[in-house]
């Protein structure tokens, strides 16, 4: 077993030990040391943990991890009916996605039936335009559309994205959207902004054959591309315009949520949908910006304080693995080694397993309590560590469960290698 595999297994052990009994199974709190309510969500709770357990079960062929995933799925089924939010990351759609995956991989028919029931509940909660004040990827229409596609419900996916045709705001170079009702700032990136909506529109356009949805996706992407500020070899777009909460939020980010590591995922999808090689050029420009930014070094307080999947090192590792599979000439493999080495160094490992603490430099103590979930904690990190281990294997680093907003990588064995742009990724940056 490699060092990374051992660390991932220890991370799985800690997630299992942090679960708490709930009716029918096991659940997780977003922060285990608090007495908060059970969190079933994909973002910070049980759905993300269950999916990480599935990755572990498939990787190690370990029945213990499968049993933990089944128990977690039962806990999700018991908790979800009282959860009002319908979104992919914050609500019922994400729970349905996790339960469906348990059904697919472990043969749990009850989990799969529950996933369909949940999706029916989501459909009934639609008001004709939205599900809540958010219409972006994490909490709103875009995420629900992608979750519905992952579950094979194209009708719901189309229903979720059609309001974007009416709600689009014309800009000098394309279109944008009000990601949350009443928000003055317009966000540009994948988690809360334009590129998350673009991803949903493009994916649904491909599945449904709707050219109008693809045209709108391209208009949204054009608006973001026009905001690039780093020059012809990189890609760096501000967090938002006008800047949202400038007293707390920096103008530029580099991770999945508000930076080029996430922008590249949308551009990868647009290449797969359109076949236009211009999108791979933008992917490579995003990667150049990521690799010269200085991460994962913590060069100053607040620069790179997160290990997790949403806005930290694991999210960059996901892109590095994607690019390694799609284009072995790209220097992404070496940078993946740098990222994984950083995760190894920052892990706390003891008899309870392995976990990671993020940093909030504006408070004391600055080291935050470890979390089990996908966004900021073990689930997202373990998932990427296990895929990293498989980069050189015959499996071509496929995930056990493909994520709704992360395009799958065509394998080199399938002849899916994209045209190389040979952009340097200096791992010593």
């Amino acid at each position: 077993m490699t060092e990374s595999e051992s660390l991932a297994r220890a991370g799985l052990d800690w997630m299992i030990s942090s679960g708490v009994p709930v009716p029918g199974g096991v659940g997780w709190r977003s922060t285990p040391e608090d007495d908060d309510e059970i969190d079933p969500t994909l973002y910070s709770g049980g759905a993300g943990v269950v999916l990480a357990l599935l990755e572990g079960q498939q990787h190690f062929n370990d029945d213990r991890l499968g049993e933990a995933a089944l128990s977690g799925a039962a806990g999700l089924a018991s908790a979800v009916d009282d959860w009002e939010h319908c979104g992919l990351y914050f609500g019922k759609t994400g729970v349905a996605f996790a339960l469906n995956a348990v059904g697919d991989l472990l043969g749990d028919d009850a989990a799969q039936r529950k996933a369909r029931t949940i999706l029916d509940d989501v459909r009934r909660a639609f008001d004709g335009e939205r599900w809540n004040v958010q219409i972006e990827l994490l909490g709103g229409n875009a995420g629900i559309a992608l979750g519905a596609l992952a579950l094979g419900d194209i009708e719901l996916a189309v229903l979720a994205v059609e309001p974007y045709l009416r709600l689009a705001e014309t800009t000098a170079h394309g279109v944008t959207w009000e990601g949350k009702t009443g928000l003055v700032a317009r966000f540009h990136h994948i988690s809360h902004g334009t590129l998350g909506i673009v991803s949903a529109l493009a994916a649904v356009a491909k599945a449904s054959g709707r050219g109008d949805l693809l045209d709108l996706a391209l208009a949204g992407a054009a608006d973001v591309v026009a905001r690039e500020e780093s020059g012809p070899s990189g890609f760096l777009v501000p967090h938002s315009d006008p800047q949202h909460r400038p007293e707390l939020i920096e103008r530029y980010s580099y991770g999945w949520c508000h930076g080029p590591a996430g922008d590249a995922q949308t551009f990868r999808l647009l290449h797969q949908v359109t076949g236009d090689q211009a999108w791979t050029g933008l992917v490579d420009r995003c990667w150049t910006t990521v690799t010269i930014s200085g991460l994962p070094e913590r060069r100053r307080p607040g620069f790179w304080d997160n290990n997790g999947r949403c806005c930290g090192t694991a999210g960059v590792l996901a892109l590095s693995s994607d690019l390694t599979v799609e284009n072995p000439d790209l220097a992404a493999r070496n940078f993946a080694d740098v990222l994984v080495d950083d995760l190894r160094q920052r892990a706390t490992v003891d008899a309870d397993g392995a976990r990671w603490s993020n940093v909030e430099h504006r408070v004391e103590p600055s080291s935050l309590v470890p979390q089990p979930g996908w966004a900021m904690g073990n689930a997202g990190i373990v998932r990427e560590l296990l895929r990293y281990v498989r980069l050189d294997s015959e499996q071509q680093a496929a995930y056990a469960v493909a994520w709704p907003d992360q395009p799958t990588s065509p394998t080199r064995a399938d002849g899916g290698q994209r045209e190389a742009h040979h952009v340097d990724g200096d791992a010593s940056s």
Side-chain angles (χ1 to χ4, degrees), residues 238-263:
H239 174 277
S240 49
D241 289 299
Q243 178 67 30
H244 181 63
R245 303 190 70 184
E247 76 283 3
L248 291 177
I249 299 173
E250 295 195 12
R251 184 74 171 143
Y252 304 99
S253 300
Y254 296 90
W256 173 84
C257 51
H258 294 288
D263 301 345

Side-chain angles (χ1 to χ4, degrees), residues 235-236 252-255 260-261 285-300 303-304 316 335 339 425-426 428-429:
F235 193 85
L236 191 63
Y252 304 99
S253 300
Y254 296 90
R285 288 171 58 185
C286 287
W287 188 243
T288 294
T289 294
V290 166
T291 55
I292 67 174
S293 68
L295 68 85
E297 294 180 23
R298 297 183 175 178
R299 295 188 165 185
R300 54 183 169 77
F303 170 66
W304 200 251
V316 181
F335 200 73
L339 299 171
D426 185 358
S428 64
S429 297

Side-chain angles (χ1 to χ4, degrees), residues 365-387:
S366 61
S367 183
L368 301 178
V369 175
Q371 299 181 24
W374 173 87
M376 309 295 176
N378 273 40
I381 295 170
V382 165
R383 183 172 184 266
E384 300 309 331
L385 284 175
L386 290 175
R387 188 191 188 203

